[in-house]
Amino acid sequence: MAVLRCLTGTPMSQRHSPPSNVLATETDGTPWWKEAVVYQIYPKSFNDTDADGIGDIPGIVEKVDYLDELGVDAVWLSPVYQSPQADNGYDISDYRAIDDQYGDLEDWGQLLAELHDRDIRLIMDLVVNHTSDEHEWFKRSRRGEEPYDDYYYWREGDPETPPNNWDSFFGGSAWSYDDEREAWYLHLFDEKQPDLNWRNPAVREDVYDMMNWWLDRGIDGFRMDVINLISKTEGLPDGDPHGGLVGAEHFMNGPRVHEYFSEMIGQTIDTVDREIMTVGETPGVSVEDAREYVGEDGDGLSMVFQFEHMGVGDGDSKWDAGEFDLVEFKQIFERWQTGLAADGWNSVYLSNHDQPRSVSQFGNDGEYRQESAKLLGTFTHTLHGTPFVYQGEELGMTNASFESIDELRDVEAINFVEEAIQDGDAEDYDDVRDAIEAVARDNARTPMQWSADANAGFTDGEPWLKVTDNYADINVASERESRDSIFQYYRRLIDLRHDNDVLIYGDFELHYPDHESVFAYTRTLGEDRALIVLNWSDEPTTVDIPDDIPTDDLELAIANQDVSTGVNAQFELQPWDARVYLTESQ
Ligand code: NOJ
């Protein structure tokens, strides 16, 4: 049984004089995160104040009023910890230090205070499936030093033959041979990201200790990076070589994952007397798995990021994107919306720093960019679950163009191009350019477009990754000025969600499940109803309103185009038409 004491060595009862910069939690018992809209900041690309071409924490501080104006309730900050930046900070070499390029702990403290002053909460990224190979633990582990010798997965053996056939998410084998220790070590991501051995109780204690250190600083939650990969099948057996990522069945939702989650929550989150939000990034998770993580009798997470909807249309790998199929997309959402309605909670997102820009993936980033970006926002803000907005989504920022491999920065994209050429699948970069421009993570990481000034107002230096060419047209300054902009529409959507519990708590019912372009659903909470109608296509369409959708008392609450306020017998929908109707009483 887990020892019930705080792992810092201080008994739990003594730890919890609340830190002075904590944001008070409302008293009605409702977790704040159910009613919140979360904004994700990718710090490297948000706002640079020291002209080194890299965003920084003072740059975020400069923009907290912008976040307040947008109306979001919480910020999820992608990693700002000390890191060699092999994977832009998801390779951490010191969990308790801020990387120099972003500032220092004082800057971070100022950010927390400025956010809290505006009632905006701060969710920190927690990356504990792996560390950097430059973390002290790994340096000492590779020297075989106690007690760190067993902090990672080490296997001795023939330096030519990896211990098993598992793939790395970033291409190639998940094993690298270390000449110093004369053994292989496991890394499900880059070779500079060795996996921590969670079977070792000392690893877990160190992780919980570090989480408590951040909780003591007044943060409001954790986004937990690939957290369902922390348990691996005993003995690390070979994976099935014939499907997707080889080995996944041995490291996704592994055998001891529930034990680790409950222990982690019990020794960290549960010891804090304020409401803390946790969102676990969980690739390969089903609704049933998710319920075990977030349900009433589950492990205690608030919600998870699932990925089913992000891969609709993909072939064997993400690089092999096919036709988007709205019917399949609807089925996935119906399953998640109803599956976690009574027990659990959803997260809702269409973009983040690992995905293409949502308007490019799911909308039309050409002729109907405005309309489709607004439609996608209407969708994410009217579902059951906490909506996440990724920086620039509120402007309708698009995918970028990358002329050559030299313009790419992401290790995953660069590996993909190099492997394709090495394996003979491509002759040169141009053969894979379409795939890169469709799905590479660099698309989401281009600098935030603040204005039509040089470098989109992001930096006075040379940006670390090229600014997307369309910044003169798509930027915060112009979006702020126009009443009809995507930004202003997002502000209204966020207000609408805050003002209508039916959009937060209402039951979800899908209409027209087989319609190829209309996504319509009702949310119902007691007497209150919301009807959301979305035409997910470039073509106008008309649908009859079936009897099972009562419309008499509905009034238009928001729309992305000019439409009459009432509901007739049919919906005549323009391309990318998006409408939310609410019952009059609301
Ligand atoms: C998921 C993160 O979102 C991604 O950016 C990172 O590369 C991997 N986990 C590894 O930490």
Side-chain angles (χ1 to χ4, degrees), residues 87 90 130 170 189 193 223 225-226 281 353-354 441 445:
D87 185 20
Y90 283 92
H130 45 266
F170 290 166
F189 294 89
Q193 294 168 293
R223 174 269 185 187
D225 191 66
V226 290
E281 189 202 24
H353 65 292
D354 292 331
R441 304 193 299 181
R445 300 174 179 185

Side-chain angles (χ1 to χ4, degrees), residues 21-27 32 116 119 121 220 274-275:
N21 44 6
V22 148
L23 199 59
T25 311
E26 51 275 38
T27 47
W32 61 265
H116 279 182
D119 281 344
R121 290 178 157 88
D220 304 288
R274 61 188 192 278
E275 182 66 38

Side-chain angles (χ1 to χ4, degrees), residues 227-429:
I227 200 68
N228 65 330
L229 307 189
I230 58 179
S231 163
K232 280 88 176 171
T233 306
E234 195 66 37
L236 314 182
D238 273 344
D240 174 359
H242 303 296
L245 192 75
V246 177
E249 70 275 29
H250 295 303
F251 53 72
M252 275 180 187
N253 309 306
R256 292 180 66 183
V257 77
H258 297 298
E259 174 194 335
Y260 298 158
F261 283 3
S262 323
E263 182 185 84
M264 173 169 70
I265 299 290
Q267 300 210 17
T268 60
I269 311 298
D270 288 352
T271 68
V272 174
D273 57 10
R274 61 188 192 278
E275 182 66 38
I276 297 294
M277 169 184 146
T278 53
V279 49
E281 189 202 24
T282 52
V285 80
S286 67
V287 177
E288 292 69 35
D289 297 326
R291 206 174 296 123
E292 292 184 31
Y293 297 147
V294 307
E296 188 85 356
D297 299 322
D299 304 331
L301 297 187
S302 314
M303 64 192 101
V304 295
F305 288 133
Q306 59 85 17
F307 290 85
E308 275 194 80
H309 63 291
M310 298 307 285
V312 170
D314 283 1
D316 281 348
S317 84
K318 73 176 241 180
W319 301 106
D320 182 19
E323 276 295 291
F324 176 70
D325 177 348
L326 185 74
V327 172
E328 187 188 340
F329 189 78
K330 289 194 280 192
Q331 285 163 359
I332 293 171
F333 271 96
E334 184 180 32
R335 193 146 33 77
W336 282 91
Q337 288 287 298
T338 53
L340 294 185
D343 189 20
W345 191 252
N346 276 292
S347 74
V348 184
Y349 74 96
L350 291 175
S351 58
N352 63 38
H353 65 292
D354 292 331
Q355 308 293 338
R357 290 282 173 184
S358 52
V359 72
S360 300
Q361 180 173 4
F362 297 107
N364 174 333
D365 63 6
E367 188 180 353
Y368 295 111
R369 188 184 65 85
Q370 290 269 351
E371 294 82 353
S372 62
K374 289 176 184 170
L375 176 143
L376 299 175
T378 312
F379 178 63
T380 52
H381 288 84
T382 55
L383 287 173
H384 171 273
T386 302
F388 286 74
V389 178
Y390 177 64
Q391 66 184 42
E393 179 188 317
E394 75 281 17
L395 315 175
M397 275 179 63
T398 65
N399 277 1
S401 72
F402 297 103
E403 303 280 330
S404 76
I405 190 171
D406 301 335
E407 289 189 343
L408 301 177
R409 294 290 174 271
D410 179 27
V411 54
E412 183 195 45
I414 294 169
N415 286 354
F416 164 69
V417 177
E418 287 177 349
E419 263 177 41
I421 295 173
Q422 224 168 52
D423 297 349
D425 297 334
E427 226 163 73
D428 53 26
Y429 173 75

